[in-house]
Amino acid sequence: MIAGYAPEFILGLVVLVAGTIAVAFPQPKNYLTRLINLEIPAFGLLLLMLSYNEALALLTFGAISVLSTFIYVRVIQKKEAAA
Amino acid sequence: MDEIIMAASAILILIGMISAIVNLDPFDKLISLSILISGIFPFIVDRGLLDVAIALALIAPLSTVFILMACQKRASS
Amino acid sequence: MIAIYLCAIIAVYAALRIITERNTMRKLPFLNVISFAVTAIIALLLPHPLTILAAAAFFVGSTFESNAIASTWSGGMKRNG
C-alpha cells in the first residue's frame, strides 16, 4: 500500500513502462528479441488491469495476447522464408 | 495478503523483468519470462479471481510454445 | 503459517540462483523449483475449495512450459523435417 494505491497498480506501472522501453529499443535488433520483449508489457498491463477487479476483462486480454503472439510468429516465419 | 508473500511475489516479478530485459540469449529470456509469469499468480489468487487464475495458467504456456516455434526455426538454419 | 513463508523464501532463493547461473541447462531445475514453490503458495493462500484446482492447473501449465523449453534447447522434437 504505497501512497494509497494497491501494490498491483504500482508494480504494473513499473513493468509496463520498463517493458515498453525494452520493446522500443531491443538490444540485439532483430524480430525475435522484439517479440519476446513484447510479452513483458502484456503482463504488466494484465497486472495493472488486475487492480480494478474485472474478471471478464482479464480472461479476454489473456486469450487475445496469446492469439496475437501466434499471428506474429506466423508473420515472422513467412517473412524470413521469403527473404 | 500477508506482507512477506506480497514482497516475495514483487521480488519475483522484478527479478523476472530485469533479467528478461538484460539477457541476450532467447532461451534465457524465455526462462526469465517464466519467472515473471510465476510472480503474477499469487496476486491473482489473492484477489479471489480463481477462474481467471485457472484459465490463465492453462493459456499462458501456449504463448511460450508459439515463441519456441520461431526459436527452433532460427536455431536450425 | 510457517509453511507458506518457507515456500516464499525458497522461491526467492531459486530466482536468485537462476540469475547468477551462466549455463542455460542448469537454470531449468531451478525454474521447476520456482514452479513448485508458487504452486504451494497458491494452494495455501486462501481457504477456498476451488484453490486446489487453480494450483493443479498452474502446476500442469508450468511443467509443460519448462519441458517445452528444455526439449527445444536440447534439439529434440523434429518438426516437419
Side-chain angles (χ1 to χ4, degrees):
Chain A
M1 194 66 71
I2 304 166
Y5 293 109
E8 292 99 336
F9 192 82
I10 306 293
L11 214 52
L13 276 181
V14 171
V15 175
L16 183 63
V17 171
T20 308
I21 293 172
V23 171
F25 305 104
Q27 195 47 252
K29 198 171 168 54
N30 51 12
Y31 294 122
L32 189 58
T33 307
R34 213 182 276 256
L35 180 61
I36 297 174
N37 280 341
L38 194 60
E39 293 289 311
I40 304 171
F43 284 104
L45 188 59
L46 194 144
L47 202 56
L48 196 61
M49 285 161 67
L50 184 62
S51 66
Y52 292 103
N53 272 328
E54 292 286 340
L56 196 59
L58 283 169
L59 278 173
T60 315
F61 182 71
I64 290 303
S65 171
V66 171
L67 193 62
S68 72
T69 303
F70 176 64
I71 294 174
Y72 280 135
V73 166
R74 185 54 64 93
V75 167
I76 286 171
Q77 280 184 353
K78 195 160 290 188
K79 186 174 172 58
E80 285 190 350
Chain B
M1 186 162 28
D2 208 74
E3 298 290 331
I4 297 177
I5 308 302
M6 195 181 72
S9 299
I11 287 172
L12 228 57
I13 289 175
L14 290 178
I15 283 176
M17 182 193 73
I18 292 170
S19 177
I21 291 173
V22 166
N23 272 324
L24 300 180
D25 190 34
F27 291 99
D28 289 344
K29 290 172 92 73
L30 284 175
I31 290 171
S32 307
L33 205 63
S34 182
I35 301 175
L36 194 149
I37 297 171
S38 298
I40 285 176
F41 276 96
F43 285 108
I44 297 178
V45 174
D46 182 63
R47 287 268 169 176
L49 306 172
L50 288 172
D51 47 352
V52 177
I54 293 170
L56 207 63
L58 294 178
I59 282 177
L62 294 180
S63 171
T64 305
V65 173
F66 288 150
I67 294 175
L68 278 172
M69 284 165 59
C71 283
Q72 192 185 25
K73 191 63 68 71
R74 179 181 294 269
S76 66
S77 63
Chain C
M1 206 57 198
I2 196 67
I4 185 165
Y5 292 158
L6 202 59
C7 290
I9 292 169
I10 286 171
V12 171
Y13 173 68
L16 289 177
R17 280 294 295 267
I18 281 183
I19 62 169
T20 56
E21 188 71 46
R22 285 297 167 195
N23 194 1
T24 303
M25 208 62 186
R26 290 182 189 274
K27 289 183 181 184
L28 289 165
F30 292 104
L31 187 62
N32 274 325
V33 171
I34 287 181
S35 165
F36 299 157
V38 174
T39 302
I41 288 174
I42 288 173
L44 293 174
L45 197 56
L46 284 184
H48 191 275
L50 205 56
T51 308
I52 187 64
L53 198 60
F58 177 74
F59 184 73
V60 170
S62 179
T63 309
F64 173 64
E65 181 179 10
S66 176
N67 279 331
I69 292 174
S71 169
T72 308
W73 193 82
S74 69
M77 200 168 66
K78 298 282 193 302
R79 189 184 293 270
N80 57 38

